[in-house]
């Protein structure tokens, strides 16, 4: 009997505990699952130790915090690290917590093999796994080739529909070189101009600047070559390598999938390169330059002993251009198959802004590129003609002097120098690009011709055949 009574008391106590844990947490708030007869407040926290109760559902009607949204991962495809301004990436990530930029190095994915990286990039661009943005300069892409493939987004509609951007804000001469069939395939924030220059006294006597005009100068350049460093030599291979990033690609029509390496103009180009006979004792009369600010003409005048004229690269009939855009900064394209186009555009717009380009190019003491934003370029012009001062170690103010190659000290740019370089910017008519496979073919076959192992006609035939096969495989 005593055992039975003990069991009954223990059972009652257990039922009492369970009833307390199942009660409502807030007094006066009935559980909607309770019966209508149950008294509100029964089993409140004040009646039970919290550690013995399981966690409760939040009180009815309480406002719950929204779970944090995962940031959009915006990918930039690059090769061997990115050439995009890293401070821009950091600033963008900080200002846009809803978006996080992520670099995909295709060099790491392909054991740093450029050919394999390009194949993988092309495969990704035509798939659902396309990167959002592509570092055009990092891969050394020929933009015309990729425009013909239709893998990049037309950026003009994005510029036109955005209240913060306008086509007239940017340099026509540069943006037109990234436009194919009316579609803007990429954008950049800054650039240099690759060209050739002569002393003005010699340039004044030239009526044209074709291969036949260029040849007498090129053949006497010698060790003091077309290149900036006097230690470089201009020989057959080096001249042809330069032309592979400029003139050679004008013999290719990517959209039609055709090549014109069997043309008389290309024969003339190879003959010019083959005729190179460097003479180390001959002083330079024509040089290669990459202009990136309004001070460089001063140094070039010192090199030549007088003011210079920018004659550009020689043209080969209708092939080639004179002045090329190169050293492009923040040179990016948006994937047509990308999943985050709105976020991609917001990043592109970040470096197209006037304030970013003004700070990066116009207000720095030694600019390394021209801006593509017109207002930023105008500010750069104003700064170039001004005297700038700095405080020395003793706290005294002194005139700031920028130094260029060989410690040459620049003066503020004159109105004539500024006008000359603005005209050069307006005159750019080519985009330096690179097609690794075509350059490889041209250099391989030309080497045999230079060594006398095969004739000019056979060389031209081999190049035309191999490049045509390559283009057909790309279509």
């Amino acid at each position: 009997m005593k055992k039975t009574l003990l069991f009954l008391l223990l059972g009652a106590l257990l039922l009492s505990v369970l009833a307390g844990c199942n009660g409502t947490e807030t007094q006066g708030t009935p559980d909607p699952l309770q019966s209508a007869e149950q008294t509100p407040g029964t089993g409140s926290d004040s009646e039970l130790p919290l550690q013995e109760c399981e966690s409760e559902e939040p009180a009815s009607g309480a406002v719950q915090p929204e779970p944090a949204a995962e940031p959009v991962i915006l990918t930039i495809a690059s090769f061997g690290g990115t050439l995009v301004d890293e401070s821009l990436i950091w600033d963008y990530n900080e200002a846009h917590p809803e978006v996080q930029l992520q670099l995909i190095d295709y060099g790491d994915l392909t054991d740093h093999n450029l050919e394999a990286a390009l194949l993988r990039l092309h495969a990704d661009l035509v798939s659902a796994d396309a990167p959002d943005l592509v570092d055009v300069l990092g891969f050394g892409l020929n933009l015309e080739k990729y425009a013909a493939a239709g893998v990049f987004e037309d950026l003009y509609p994005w510029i036109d529909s955005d209240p913060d951007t306008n086509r007239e804000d940017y340099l026509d001469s540069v943006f037109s070189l990234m436009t194919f069939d009316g579609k803007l395939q990429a954008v950049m924030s800054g650039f240099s101009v690759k060209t050739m220059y002569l002393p003005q006294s010699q340039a004044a006597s030239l009526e044209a600047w074709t291969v036949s005009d260029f040849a007498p100068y090129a053949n006497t350049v010698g060790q003091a070559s077309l290149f900036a460093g006097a230690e470089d030599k201009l020989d057959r291979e080096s001249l042809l390598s330069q032309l592979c990033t400029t003139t050679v690609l004008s013999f290719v029509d990517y959209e039609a999938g055709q090549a014109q390496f069997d043309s008389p103009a290309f024969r003339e180009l190879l003959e010019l390169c083959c005729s190179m006979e460097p003479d180390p004792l001959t002083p330079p009369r024509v040089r290669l330059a990459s202009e990136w600010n309004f001070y460089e003409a001063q140094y070039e005048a010192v090199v030549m002993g007088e003011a210079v004229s920018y004659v550009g690269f020689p043209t080969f009939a209708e092939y080639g251009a004179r002045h090329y855009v190169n050293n492009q900064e923040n040179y990016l394209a948006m994937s047509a198959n990308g999943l985050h186009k709105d976020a991609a555009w917001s990043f592109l717009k970040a470096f197209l802004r006037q304030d970013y380009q003004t700070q990066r190019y116009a207000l720095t003491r030694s600019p390394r590129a021209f801006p593509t934003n017109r207002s930023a370029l105008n500010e750069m012009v104003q700064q170039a003609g001004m005297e700038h001062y700095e405080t020395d170690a003793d706290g005294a103010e002194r005139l700031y002097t920028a130094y260029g190659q060989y410690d040459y000290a620049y003066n503020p740019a004159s109105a004539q120098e500024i006008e000359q370089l603005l005209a050069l910017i307006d005159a750019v008519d080519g985009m330096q690009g690179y097609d690794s496979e075509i350059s490889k073919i041209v250099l391989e076959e030309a080497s045999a011709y230079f060594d006398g192992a095969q004739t000019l006609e056979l060389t031209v035939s081999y190049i035309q055949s191999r490049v045509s096969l390559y283009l057909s495989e790309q279509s």
Side-chain angles (χ1 to χ4, degrees), residues 92-364:
Y92 181 86
N93 278 340
E94 185 175 353
H96 297 81
E98 76 282 3
V99 180
Q100 288 296 297
L101 282 163
Q102 184 180 89
L103 302 177
I104 302 176
D105 190 341
Y106 277 63
D108 292 340
L109 301 178
T110 57
D111 197 25
H112 301 282
N113 183 304
L114 178 58
E115 185 175 349
L118 290 172
L119 288 173
R120 178 159 183 171
L121 174 65
H122 190 271
D124 288 347
L125 287 172
V126 298
S127 74
D129 296 324
D132 297 298
L133 296 166
V134 177
D135 184 352
V136 178
L137 184 61
F139 282 99
L141 301 182
N142 180 268
L143 197 57
E144 182 181 2
K145 171 183 174 181
Y146 284 79
V151 294
F152 291 150
E153 181 87 357
D154 178 12
L155 297 176
Y156 275 137
W158 292 88
I159 291 177
D160 295 339
S161 61
D162 194 309
D164 298 328
T165 54
N166 192 299
R167 295 192 194 197
E168 286 69 38
D169 295 340
Y170 311 106
L171 299 178
D172 293 335
S173 58
V174 177
F175 272 49
S176 65
L177 298 174
M178 299 180 285
T179 303
F180 302 90
D181 195 25
K183 299 176 180 179
L184 181 63
Q185 296 291 287
V187 288
M188 67 181 74
S189 64
F191 65 98
S192 302
V193 181
K194 189 173 187 176
T195 187
M196 292 183 182
Y197 63 90
L198 287 171
Q200 281 187 358
S201 60
Q202 296 180 16
S205 62
L206 292 174
E207 295 182 1
W209 187 238
T210 63
V211 174
S212 57
D213 300 304
F214 171 72
Y217 291 89
N219 286 334
T220 58
V221 168
Q223 297 282 5
S225 71
L226 296 178
F227 307 108
E231 71 278 7
D232 294 326
K233 65 177 182 178
L234 177 66
D235 55 21
R236 300 163 176 173
E237 287 77 13
S238 60
L239 177 58
L240 186 57
S241 293
Q242 286 290 323
L243 295 177
C244 277
T245 65
T246 53
T247 310
V248 164
L249 291 181
S250 65
F251 292 90
V252 180
D253 185 339
Y254 286 99
E255 187 172 4
Q258 297 177 349
Q260 294 87 37
F261 289 105
D262 53 358
S263 64
F266 187 70
R267 290 183 174 86
E268 190 177 25
L269 184 153
L270 285 182
E271 287 178 318
L272 169 67
C273 293
C274 189
S275 68
M276 296 302 299
E277 297 178 359
D279 179 2
L281 300 180
T282 304
R285 292 196 292 168
V286 59
R287 292 181 71 94
L288 184 73
S290 189
E291 306 296 324
W292 55 67
N293 61 45
F294 291 101
Y295 306 112
E296 292 302 311
Q298 297 176 27
Y299 167 74
E300 291 151 5
V302 172
V303 171
M304 290 298 187
E306 62 177 283
V308 301
S309 291
Y310 299 110
V311 293
F313 283 78
T315 54
F316 298 79
E318 71 272 25
Y319 302 97
R322 291 196 180 279
H323 313 290
Y324 289 84
V325 169
N326 76 327
N327 294 335
Q328 304 91 336
E329 292 201 354
N330 299 322
Y331 189 17
L332 295 177
M334 184 194 300
S335 299
N337 287 338
L339 298 178
H340 310 112
K341 293 184 180 180
D342 287 333
W345 169 246
S346 72
F347 181 70
L348 297 180
K349 189 172 72 169
F351 63 73
L352 292 176
R353 296 193 324 262
Q354 175 188 346
D355 59 341
Y356 170 80
Q357 293 194 22
T358 297
Q359 187 66 39
R360 184 167 177 83
Y361 305 116
L363 299 183
T364 180

Side-chain angles (χ1 to χ4, degrees), residues 29 57-64:
T29 306
E57 292 294 323
S60 176
V63 177
Q64 299 303 307

